[in-house]
Amino acid sequence: MGRGRVQLKRIENKINRQVTFSKRRCGLLKKAHEISVLCDAEVALIVFSTNGKLFEYATDSCMERILERYERYSYAESQILTNDAQTNGNWTLEHAKLKARMEILQKNQKNLMGEELDSLSLKELQNLEHQLETALKHIRSKKNQVMHESISELQRKDKALQEQNNLLAKKVKEKEKALAQQTQWENQQDNALTSSSVILSQSLQPLNIGGTYHSTGIEEGTALGPPQHRNATLLPSWMLSHLQE
């Protein structure tokens, strides 16, 4: 039959307790060495017996170096925990301050809106009235400033539009004047050409002196008369007058 499970409690028999301690101590040291070699871990083991005797094991026999590393880690861990606790405490305090301030601001806002005024004293009401009057003055001043700036901007735009309108009107007048001058010049050219054509046609038109006689003579096949009279019919009137003299 196999051994039963050992109940974990203090061994009352001193001899048995000493024997068990020796066996378990050796097994514990062996396990520490095995985990150090197999897993490349730094292991430090410290055991004190009932009599106060020290038993220890350290990887590569560097107990002091492992203990210093342990102390540094423990100190850093404690600092982190302390900082976290302080930070949590600071955040709690800050949250309480912000919450109280928000409540005050909400109450002031309601008072400025004319709500919840019953709990205010006479001095608080006077301060509230003074705040409202000051705010109203600032609002009116800002409104007047904005209106003045708007009027100035509109005046500037109106002036610019007037200047642009005047410039366009000037251009239109100049264009109309140029068009009128061109039309007048064209009319003068047309009149001059018409007059020249009339004068030219009048100067080239032959006289019709003795026209009946000549036409009759031609029709009847008779002589046209002396040569000087035939040439006279082809001369201008001013030459005929000189010839008749």
Side-chain angles (χ1 to χ4, degrees):
M1 294 180 61
R3 296 174 54 186
R5 185 175 180 181
V6 178
Q7 186 178 4
L8 292 177
K9 67 176 184 178
R10 184 177 182 271
I11 300 175
E12 298 297 335
N13 190 303
K14 184 177 180 181
I15 296 174
N16 293 337
R17 186 168 62 244
Q18 185 65 32
V19 173
T20 302
F21 174 76
S22 298
K23 291 181 179 181
R24 297 297 178 96
R25 182 197 68 206
C26 293
L28 184 59
L29 295 175
K30 182 179 179 181
K31 292 293 183 182
H33 176 69
E34 289 176 355
I35 193 173
S36 174
V37 174
L38 294 175
C39 302
D40 194 19
E42 290 187 352
V43 179
L45 177 63
I46 300 175
V47 179
F48 287 96
S49 66
T50 307
N51 299 326
K53 187 176 180 180
L54 173 63
F55 300 92
E56 64 180 21
Y57 171 82
T59 304
D60 298 332
S61 300
C62 296
M63 178 64 73
E64 294 181 357
R65 181 172 58 83
I66 297 176
L67 291 178
E68 289 178 358
R69 183 178 179 184
Y70 171 77
E71 289 177 356
R72 289 195 304 268
Y73 179 82
S74 298
Y75 177 77
E77 189 72 18
S78 62
Q79 287 295 111
I80 292 174
L81 295 176
T82 303
N83 293 334
D84 290 341
Q86 292 178 354
T87 303
N88 292 333
N90 293 334
W91 281 116
T92 303
L93 182 61
E94 189 70 18
H95 177 265
K97 290 181 179 179
L98 292 175
K99 185 177 180 180
R101 184 173 179 80
M102 185 180 66
E103 292 176 354
I104 294 173
L105 291 175
Q106 289 177 350
K107 182 179 179 182
N108 291 337
Q109 183 180 7
K110 290 181 179 179
N111 293 334
L112 291 173
M113 296 295 295
E115 301 175 359
E116 298 183 2
L117 301 177
D118 297 335
S119 60
L120 299 180
S121 62
L122 178 60
K123 186 175 181 180
E124 291 175 344
L125 291 172
Q126 291 176 349
N127 292 333
L128 181 61
E129 183 181 8
H130 179 70
Q131 291 178 2
L132 291 173
E133 290 177 353
T134 304
L136 186 59
K137 289 180 181 179
H138 289 306
I139 292 172
R140 287 175 177 172
S141 176
K142 184 63 177 178
K143 183 190 71 173
N144 294 332
Q145 180 182 356
V146 173
M147 291 179 62
H148 179 71
E149 292 176 354
S150 300
I151 293 172
S152 299
E153 183 67 18
L154 291 175
Q155 290 177 350
R156 186 185 64 81
K157 290 182 179 180
D158 181 66
K159 185 178 179 180
L161 289 174
Q162 288 181 357
E163 292 178 354
Q164 187 176 4
N165 190 19
N166 295 333
L167 182 61
L168 292 175
K170 184 178 179 181
K171 290 182 178 180
V172 169
K173 289 181 179 179
E174 292 177 354
K175 193 171 183 66
E176 290 178 351
K177 184 178 180 181
L179 185 61
Q181 291 178 354
Q182 183 178 0
T183 303
Q184 184 179 2
W185 182 80
E186 290 178 355
N187 292 333
Q188 291 177 355
Q189 293 293 326
D190 292 341
N191 293 334
L193 291 174
T194 303
S195 300
S196 300
S197 299
V198 172
I199 294 171
L200 183 60
S201 63
Q202 289 178 356
S203 62
L204 295 178
Q205 183 177 2
L207 294 175
N208 197 13
I209 299 173
T212 304
Y213 171 76
H214 293 302
S215 61
T216 304
I218 293 172
E219 290 175 359
E220 293 177 357
T222 60
L224 296 176
Q228 63 271 17
H229 291 289
R230 288 191 306 235
N231 296 331
T233 58
L234 299 176
L235 295 176
S237 59
W238 60 275
M239 293 181 66
L240 289 174
S241 61
H242 287 290
L243 292 173
Q244 291 174 2
E245 291 178 358

